[in-house]
Short mmCIF file of all heavy atoms in Angstrom, two decimals:
data_model
loop_
_atom_site.label_atom_id
_atom_site.label_comp_id
_atom_site.label_asym_id
_atom_site.label_seq_id
_atom_site.Cartn_x
_atom_site.Cartn_y
_atom_site.Cartn_z
N ALA A 20 125.63 131.22 67.46
CA ALA A 20 124.92 130.86 66.24
C ALA A 20 125.76 129.98 65.33
O ALA A 20 125.24 129.07 64.67
CB ALA A 20 124.49 132.13 65.50
N GLY A 21 127.07 130.24 65.29
CA GLY A 21 127.94 129.43 64.44
C GLY A 21 127.92 127.97 64.82
O GLY A 21 127.88 127.08 63.96
N ILE A 22 127.95 127.69 66.12
CA ILE A 22 127.90 126.30 66.59
C ILE A 22 126.55 125.67 66.27
O ILE A 22 126.47 124.55 65.74
CB ILE A 22 128.18 126.24 68.10
CG1 ILE A 22 129.65 126.58 68.39
CG2 ILE A 22 127.83 124.86 68.66
CD1 ILE A 22 129.98 126.69 69.86
N LEU A 23 125.46 126.38 66.56
CA LEU A 23 124.12 125.81 66.37
C LEU A 23 123.80 125.56 64.91
O LEU A 23 123.21 124.53 64.56
CB LEU A 23 123.08 126.73 67.01
CG LEU A 23 123.11 126.79 68.54
CD1 LEU A 23 122.15 127.86 69.05
CD2 LEU A 23 122.77 125.43 69.13
N ILE A 24 124.17 126.51 64.03
CA ILE A 24 123.87 126.33 62.61
C ILE A 24 124.61 125.14 62.03
O ILE A 24 124.06 124.36 61.25
CB ILE A 24 124.20 127.62 61.84
CG1 ILE A 24 123.17 128.71 62.18
CG2 ILE A 24 124.26 127.39 60.33
CD1 ILE A 24 123.50 130.07 61.64
N SER A 25 125.87 124.96 62.42
CA SER A 25 126.64 123.82 61.91
C SER A 25 126.20 122.50 62.54
O SER A 25 126.17 121.47 61.88
CB SER A 25 128.13 124.05 62.15
OG SER A 25 128.61 125.11 61.35
N ALA A 26 125.85 122.55 63.82
CA ALA A 26 125.48 121.31 64.51
C ALA A 26 124.09 120.82 64.13
O ALA A 26 123.84 119.60 64.12
CB ALA A 26 125.55 121.52 66.02
N LEU A 27 123.19 121.72 63.80
CA LEU A 27 121.80 121.34 63.55
C LEU A 27 121.36 121.52 62.10
O LEU A 27 120.27 121.11 61.73
CB LEU A 27 120.87 122.18 64.44
CG LEU A 27 121.11 122.11 65.95
CD1 LEU A 27 120.16 123.06 66.68
CD2 LEU A 27 120.94 120.69 66.46
N GLY A 28 122.22 122.13 61.26
CA GLY A 28 121.81 122.53 59.92
C GLY A 28 121.76 121.42 58.91
O GLY A 28 122.22 120.29 59.13
N GLY A 29 121.22 121.76 57.73
CA GLY A 29 121.05 120.79 56.66
C GLY A 29 122.07 120.92 55.56
O GLY A 29 121.87 120.38 54.47
N SER A 30 123.16 121.63 55.81
CA SER A 30 124.23 121.77 54.82
C SER A 30 125.55 121.30 55.44
O SER A 30 125.81 121.58 56.62
CB SER A 30 124.36 123.23 54.37
OG SER A 30 125.54 123.42 53.61
N ARG A 31 126.38 120.64 54.65
CA ARG A 31 127.65 120.16 55.17
C ARG A 31 128.65 121.29 55.38
O ARG A 31 129.51 121.20 56.26
CB ARG A 31 128.27 119.13 54.21
CG ARG A 31 127.56 117.80 54.15
CD ARG A 31 128.23 116.86 53.16
NE ARG A 31 127.47 115.64 52.98
CZ ARG A 31 127.68 114.50 53.66
NH1 ARG A 31 128.63 114.45 54.57
NH2 ARG A 31 126.95 113.44 53.41
N THR A 32 128.56 122.34 54.58
CA THR A 32 129.63 123.35 54.59
C THR A 32 129.15 124.76 54.91
O THR A 32 129.92 125.69 54.84
CB THR A 32 130.34 123.37 53.23
OG1 THR A 32 129.37 123.51 52.19
CG2 THR A 32 131.12 122.08 53.01
N GLN A 33 127.88 124.91 55.28
CA GLN A 33 127.35 126.23 55.62
C GLN A 33 128.05 126.80 56.84
O GLN A 33 128.24 126.11 57.84
CB GLN A 33 125.85 126.11 55.90
CG GLN A 33 125.18 127.38 56.36
CD GLN A 33 124.60 128.17 55.21
OE1 GLN A 33 125.35 128.79 54.46
NE2 GLN A 33 123.29 128.14 55.06
N ILE A 34 128.42 128.07 56.78
CA ILE A 34 128.97 128.80 57.92
C ILE A 34 127.97 129.86 58.33
O ILE A 34 127.51 130.65 57.50
CB ILE A 34 130.32 129.47 57.57
CG1 ILE A 34 131.35 128.42 57.17
CG2 ILE A 34 130.82 130.31 58.75
CD1 ILE A 34 131.76 127.48 58.29
N GLY A 35 127.60 129.88 59.61
CA GLY A 35 126.60 130.82 60.09
C GLY A 35 127.18 131.89 60.99
O GLY A 35 128.26 131.72 61.57
N GLY A 36 126.46 132.99 61.09
CA GLY A 36 126.88 134.08 61.97
C GLY A 36 126.19 135.37 61.57
O GLY A 36 125.23 135.36 60.79
N PRO A 37 126.65 136.51 62.07
CA PRO A 37 126.07 137.79 61.68
C PRO A 37 126.48 138.13 60.25
O PRO A 37 127.58 137.79 59.82
CB PRO A 37 126.68 138.77 62.68
CG PRO A 37 128.01 138.16 63.03
CD PRO A 37 127.79 136.66 63.00
N THR A 38 125.60 138.78 59.51
CA THR A 38 125.93 139.17 58.14
C THR A 38 125.54 140.62 57.89
O THR A 38 124.70 141.19 58.61
CB THR A 38 125.21 138.29 57.09
OG1 THR A 38 123.80 138.55 57.15
CG2 THR A 38 125.47 136.81 57.35
N ALA A 39 126.13 141.20 56.88
CA ALA A 39 125.91 142.61 56.57
C ALA A 39 124.47 142.90 56.18
O ALA A 39 123.98 144.03 56.34
CB ALA A 39 126.86 143.06 55.46
N ALA A 40 123.75 141.90 55.67
CA ALA A 40 122.37 142.12 55.24
C ALA A 40 121.48 142.56 56.40
O ALA A 40 120.44 143.21 56.18
CB ALA A 40 121.82 140.84 54.62
N PHE A 41 121.86 142.24 57.63
CA PHE A 41 121.04 142.59 58.79
C PHE A 41 121.30 144.01 59.31
O PHE A 41 120.56 144.50 60.16
CB PHE A 41 121.30 141.60 59.94
CG PHE A 41 120.63 140.28 59.76
CD1 PHE A 41 121.38 139.13 59.60
CD2 PHE A 41 119.26 140.16 59.75
CE1 PHE A 41 120.77 137.90 59.44
CE2 PHE A 41 118.63 138.94 59.60
CZ PHE A 41 119.39 137.80 59.44
N ILE A 42 122.34 144.65 58.85
CA ILE A 42 122.74 145.93 59.43
C ILE A 42 121.60 146.94 59.41
O ILE A 42 121.32 147.61 60.42
CB ILE A 42 123.98 146.50 58.71
CG1 ILE A 42 125.22 145.66 59.05
CG2 ILE A 42 124.21 147.96 59.10
CD1 ILE A 42 126.47 146.07 58.29
N VAL A 43 120.91 147.04 58.28
CA VAL A 43 119.85 148.04 58.14
C VAL A 43 118.73 147.81 59.15
O VAL A 43 118.33 148.71 59.88
CB VAL A 43 119.29 148.03 56.71
CG1 VAL A 43 118.12 149.00 56.58
CG2 VAL A 43 120.37 148.37 55.71
N VAL A 44 118.22 146.58 59.20
CA VAL A 44 117.09 146.31 60.09
C VAL A 44 117.51 146.34 61.55
O VAL A 44 116.77 146.85 62.41
CB VAL A 44 116.42 144.97 59.72
CG1 VAL A 44 117.35 143.80 59.93
CG2 VAL A 44 115.14 144.77 60.52
N VAL A 45 118.71 145.84 61.86
CA VAL A 45 119.18 145.84 63.25
C VAL A 45 119.37 147.27 63.75
O VAL A 45 118.95 147.62 64.86
CB VAL A 45 120.49 145.04 63.39
CG1 VAL A 45 121.12 145.27 64.76
CG2 VAL A 45 120.21 143.55 63.19
N TYR A 46 119.97 148.11 62.93
CA TYR A 46 120.18 149.51 63.32
C TYR A 46 118.84 150.18 63.60
O TYR A 46 118.70 150.93 64.57
CB TYR A 46 120.93 150.25 62.21
CG TYR A 46 121.38 151.64 62.60
CD1 TYR A 46 122.64 151.85 63.15
CD2 TYR A 46 120.55 152.74 62.44
CE1 TYR A 46 123.06 153.11 63.52
CE2 TYR A 46 120.95 154.01 62.81
CZ TYR A 46 122.21 154.19 63.33
OH TYR A 46 122.61 155.45 63.70
N GLY A 47 117.85 149.90 62.75
CA GLY A 47 116.53 150.49 62.95
C GLY A 47 115.86 150.02 64.23
O GLY A 47 115.24 150.81 64.95
N VAL A 48 115.97 148.73 64.53
CA VAL A 48 115.37 148.20 65.75
C VAL A 48 116.03 148.79 66.99
O VAL A 48 115.36 149.18 67.95
CB VAL A 48 115.45 146.66 65.77
CG1 VAL A 48 114.97 146.11 67.11
CG2 VAL A 48 114.62 146.06 64.64
N VAL A 49 117.36 148.85 66.98
CA VAL A 49 118.09 149.42 68.12
C VAL A 49 117.72 150.89 68.31
O VAL A 49 117.52 151.36 69.44
CB VAL A 49 119.61 149.25 67.93
CG1 VAL A 49 120.37 149.99 69.03
CG2 VAL A 49 119.99 147.77 67.94
N ARG A 50 117.61 151.62 67.20
CA ARG A 50 117.25 153.03 67.28
C ARG A 50 115.85 153.22 67.86
O ARG A 50 115.64 154.10 68.70
CB ARG A 50 117.31 153.64 65.89
CG ARG A 50 116.88 155.11 65.80
CD ARG A 50 116.59 155.48 64.37
NE ARG A 50 115.48 154.69 63.83
CZ ARG A 50 115.31 154.43 62.54
NH1 ARG A 50 116.18 154.85 61.65
NH2 ARG A 50 114.28 153.72 62.14
N ASP A 51 114.91 152.39 67.45
CA ASP A 51 113.51 152.59 67.85
C ASP A 51 113.14 151.90 69.15
O ASP A 51 112.26 152.40 69.89
CB ASP A 51 112.58 152.08 66.73
CG ASP A 51 112.73 152.87 65.44
OD1 ASP A 51 113.18 154.03 65.51
OD2 ASP A 51 112.41 152.31 64.37
N PHE A 52 113.79 150.76 69.46
CA PHE A 52 113.35 149.97 70.61
C PHE A 52 114.48 149.64 71.59
O PHE A 52 114.23 148.97 72.59
CB PHE A 52 112.70 148.67 70.13
CG PHE A 52 111.56 148.88 69.19
CD1 PHE A 52 111.71 148.63 67.83
CD2 PHE A 52 110.33 149.32 69.65
CE1 PHE A 52 110.65 148.82 66.95
CE2 PHE A 52 109.26 149.51 68.78
CZ PHE A 52 109.42 149.27 67.43
N GLY A 53 115.71 150.07 71.28
CA GLY A 53 116.82 149.80 72.18
C GLY A 53 117.42 148.42 71.96
O GLY A 53 116.88 147.58 71.23
N ALA A 54 118.56 148.18 72.62
CA ALA A 54 119.25 146.90 72.47
C ALA A 54 118.41 145.75 72.99
O ALA A 54 118.44 144.64 72.42
CB ALA A 54 120.59 146.94 73.20
N ASP A 55 117.63 145.97 74.05
CA ASP A 55 116.78 144.90 74.57
C ASP A 55 115.66 144.57 73.59
O ASP A 55 115.21 143.43 73.49
CB ASP A 55 116.20 145.28 75.93
CG ASP A 55 115.33 146.53 75.87
OD1 ASP A 55 115.67 147.45 75.11
OD2 ASP A 55 114.30 146.57 76.58
N GLY A 56 115.20 145.59 72.83
CA GLY A 56 114.21 145.33 71.80
C GLY A 56 114.76 144.46 70.69
O GLY A 56 114.06 143.60 70.15
N LEU A 57 116.04 144.67 70.33
CA LEU A 57 116.67 143.83 69.32
C LEU A 57 116.73 142.38 69.78
O LEU A 57 116.46 141.45 69.00
CB LEU A 57 118.08 144.33 69.02
CG LEU A 57 118.92 143.44 68.11
CD1 LEU A 57 118.29 143.34 66.72
CD2 LEU A 57 120.35 143.93 68.02
N ILE A 58 117.07 142.16 71.05
CA ILE A 58 117.15 140.80 71.57
C ILE A 58 115.79 140.12 71.50
O ILE A 58 115.67 138.95 71.11
CB ILE A 58 117.70 140.83 73.01
CG1 ILE A 58 119.16 141.30 73.00
CG2 ILE A 58 117.58 139.46 73.65
CD1 ILE A 58 119.73 141.54 74.38
N THR A 59 114.74 140.85 71.87
CA THR A 59 113.40 140.28 71.80
C THR A 59 113.00 139.97 70.36
O THR A 59 112.45 138.91 70.06
CB THR A 59 112.38 141.25 72.43
OG1 THR A 59 112.71 141.48 73.79
CG2 THR A 59 110.96 140.68 72.35
#
């Protein structure tokens, strides 16, 4: 994601990657649907 966000993005200095804001929703998806559900 870091490569794609910087290579294709609309900001000169944006850094992309995983962030803490996703922890809640990701944990819930993994709990309810498994790791493969998160990927989907």
Side-chain angles (χ1 to χ4, degrees):
I22 290 174
L23 291 173
I24 288 172
S25 291
L27 303 177
S30 169
R31 290 179 187 266
T32 52
Q33 176 92 286
I34 299 294
T38 68
F41 283 115
I42 290 175
V43 176
V44 64
V45 169
Y46 189 92
V48 173
V49 173
R50 176 196 62 205
D51 296 337
F52 304 105
D55 61 322
L57 173 64
I58 293 172
T59 300

